[in-house]
Amino acid sequence: IKLLNGGKISYAQNAIETIMHDSRGNPDPYTSGGIAMISDGAIYNCINGVILYPYENVHPVNGNIMGNASYFSRAHFYNDKNVLCNNQLILDEVDGIRIKGSTFENQNNATGSLIPPSYGLNSYNSSFMVGNYEPTAGDTVQSTFTKHDYGIYATSSGRALTELISINSTYFDNNKTGIYMSAIDKPQITRNEFLIKDKYAKFLGNESIGLYLDTYSTAFAVEENSFYSLLSLGNIETEKCNGITANNTGEDYNEIYNNSFDRLTVGIAAAGTNREGTSNYGLCIKCNDFRNTINDVHITTSTDPVGTKQGIDYHQGDKAPVPPPGEDYDPTYAAGNTFSKEIEGFTGYNYYNEDPDPSDPGKKFCEPIVYTYHGINASKHNVIPVITYPEQPSNHLKLLPDIHVEYISKDAACPSNLNGGGTEVMAMSTQLESSSEATIAYSDTLDIYVDGGNTTGLNLDVTASMPDESLELRQQLLDESPCPSDTVMKSAAGKEDVLTNAMLRDVMVANPQSAKSPAVMQSINQRETAMPDYMMEEIEEGTGIMGGRDVLTSNLAKNKKKRDKALNSLLLHYMTDTANISASRDSIINLLQNRQYPEPRYRLAMLYMGEGDSANAFNALDNIEYDLELSDKEEFAHGLFVDLAELQWQIKADTTIADSIHIEALFDITDNANTIAGIYARNMLVSMGEMEYQEPHYFPVILKSKPIFGFNRDKDKKQNSFLKIFPNPASDYFTAETKIDRDFTEAWLMLLNLEGKEIKKLDLPKKRNQVIVTTEKIVPGTYLLKLVVNGKVLDSRKVIIVK
C-alpha cells in the first residue's frame, strides 16, 4: 500500500497491517510480508498506525538477505487531544526500515496509571534508520517525536540484525523518555536534539529522560547530541530531568562522547554494571559539556547488577603517552569533560561516585575511578570536577592532572568522530589481531600469578587457618605478593584470631593494589580491634602505588579496549558495506568465529539462527564450551543461553507463536536477569504482552553535600559526634549517649545483629540523651547500634555483649 501526496488514513484501530487475519480475527503469522510506503501521507487519530509484522526480505536471484521494502518519507503520524495513541509505528522483526523527515506527534495530554503508554516508534528485533529528508532541491525536513511516553522504544531478544539502528539529527520534544533501548547491539545515536521539558510539557511532575540505554545495550555510538530543558533554574530540581541513563550496559568498553547538557537535574546517570570485573575497563564518559546542571555525572548502584562489579571504567581518561622528539603531547587522551559552575541555591555535584560506608557493611557501592584531566590552565575551561562526592582528597574518586596537556579548544581536545573518513580495514584488522594476542597473554599471566593460579586453594588455606598458624599464614600471603586476589585478602582481613593488625598491615603493604579495593578496606574496618591510625596510613599509601598486579591489570584493560574498538569498527564497516553483501557477511562470520572469548561467539550463533540455519547456530554454541575455558558463572550463563536458543528455534520453526509451555520456560530464564539470556527472555515476554517491565530511574535522593568519613580514625571522630556507647564490651546493660545536631520529627536507636535482624528499638524524644539499653535475653556476640533520625541513619557503632 502506498500513501502519497497528502493521502490520509483516519480513525482506524490499526491503520495499516502487513498481515492477514484468521477467522477469529487474529493475525496469521504465515501471511506476513506486505509493504507499506508513505511519502507525504498521514496517519491521523488511529489507535495504532502502521504495524510491520515479521518478514525477511530475500533477493529472488542470489538469495542475499535484503532490507524490508517499506519506508516512511515525510510521513505524518498525528493524534489530537480526542484520541489515545498506543503505537504510531510498530516494527516487529523487520530490517532496514528508512524513516526520513517524518513526524510522530501525540497531542493527547491524558496521563496516569490507567492510561496506556504511547509510543512513536515501537521496535522489537528490528533495524531502522531515522533521519532527515534531504531533497535534491529545497529545505531539509527533520524527523520529530513529540509528547510520547516513549519517542522511540527498541528492544531485542538476540536476533542478529542485517542493518544497524541509526538515529541521526532527529528532534525529541517533551517526551517522557526520548529513546529507550534494551539489549541493542551497536546503535548509532548521533547529532540529535532532546528538549526534555519546557514549562508547557505534558509530563510536568514526572521524571523525564532523554536517552535510556538499558541492560546489555552495548558497542553504541552516543555522540554530539544535545540534551536540555527550558525550565527555570528554580524548577530543575523538582522536575527531575535526566539527559542520559546507562543502566547495566555490561562489561564491554563503551563511550558517551562529545554531548552537551544544559538545565538538567542530572546530566548522565550510570547505574549498576558498566564495568568489567577483572580488568576494570568499561564505560568511559569523555568530552561532554555540562552547563547549569545540578548533578553533572551521577555514578550509582542498581538493585540488580549484571556483573561482579558496579561502576564505570577505572580510567576516565588517560595521561598522554610521551610523543616522538619535536612533537607535542596529544590532548585527546584526557577525559575532556567541561563541568557546570555551582548554581546558587543548589549544592549538587560535578561528579558523584557512590562509595562504601565503613560503618555499614551491607551498603552497595561503585568501584573507584581515576579521573585524568587537562592539567594546564585547567580552571580556565572548567575541566576539573570541582564539586565531587566523595569529597577530595579521596581515593574513591581520584583526580589526576596530566601536566603535559592543555585544553586549548574543543576541537583540539575532543575532535569529532562523525566527519567521515571511513574505516581503514587493514589497520583495524592488524590492531584487532595484535590486541587480541596481547589480551590472551596478559590474561594467562594473571591466571598464573594471581593466588599462585589457585584462588580456591589459597582462600581455603586462609579460611581454615588456626590461631597457632599465624606466622605461617602471614608468610604464605607474603610469598604470594604482589598478586593475592581481593577474595583472599577479604578472607585474611576476617581472620582476626589468626592475623594480628600488624601482620595484616604487612600483607597489605606488600600488596598495594588491595588498598584500592573498597571491599577489602571495608573488611578491615569490620575487625573488632580497630586498625591503628598509623597502620591505616601505611596501608592507604598503596592507593598511589602501581603494584605488580596493577600493572598486569592495566595492560590487560588497555588491550581489551583496543580489541573491542577494532572489532566493533570492523563489524560496523561490513554491516554498512552494500557493495558486496555476500562478501560482507562472510567477513562478519570470520571476525566473530575467530574470537577467543564468549560474546562474539554468541553473536555468531544468533546470526545463524536469524538465517534459519539451526545446524550452524547450535554448532557455534557447542564450540563455545569446546574452544573456551569458561568460569562457573560463564558455564551457568552459557547453559541458559543454549536453553533460550532452543526455545527460540522451537517457536520459530514449529508455530511462530509461543504457547503456554514456551512462556513458562521463558519466565524461568527471566528469573536470571543478570545474564544476557535472562534479558533476552524478558524482552520476548514484554513483546508478547506476557510481562510488564518498568526500567528504574536514578536521581539523587538528596541534593546536598554530606560528610565523608574515611576508615577507622575518621569513623571514630564521626561516632563521637553523635553516638557514644559505654561500657563496651557490655554485660547486663550499656549506656547510649546521643547528641543529635539537627531538628527532627522522629528518632530512634536500633540494635541489629550482624545479619541485619532487628533485636531492639528505642524511641528518642530529644536531641541529647543517655539511654540505658538492657541486654537481658540477648545472646553474647557482636551487634550494631544505629542512630536513625528522620528515617536516615545518622550514626552507628559496634557493641560487644559478654555474659
Side-chain angles (χ1 to χ4, degrees), residues 723 736-738 747-751 760-764 771 773 785-788:
L723 179 62
E737 180 179 328
T738 61
W748 62 84
L749 290 171
M750 186 183 298
L751 185 67
K760 275 196 174 189
K761 181 179 179 181
L762 299 141
D763 291 328
L764 298 174
V771 180
V773 183
L785 186 69
K786 291 189 175 184
L787 172 60
V788 183

Side-chain angles (χ1 to χ4, degrees), residues 455-523:
T455 297
T456 301
L458 183 57
N459 196 50
L460 181 61
D461 289 345
V462 173
T463 56
S465 61
M466 304 299 290
D468 60 354
E469 298 173 327
S470 298
L471 291 175
E472 290 87 343
L473 181 60
R474 172 184 176 275
Q475 190 58 50
Q476 185 178 6
L477 292 172
L478 290 173
D479 289 343
E480 294 296 342
S481 301
C483 283
S485 65
D486 290 351
T487 299
V488 168
M489 294 302 288
K490 286 190 292 183
S491 296
K495 295 297 291 186
E496 196 165 355
D497 60 333
V498 179
L499 295 174
T500 66
N501 280 331
M503 291 177 176
L504 182 59
R505 182 272 318 274
D506 293 344
V507 175
M508 289 290 295
V509 169
N511 294 277
Q513 75 281 349
S514 297
K516 303 180 184 73
S517 168
V520 173
M521 298 302 282
Q522 198 174 55
S523 297

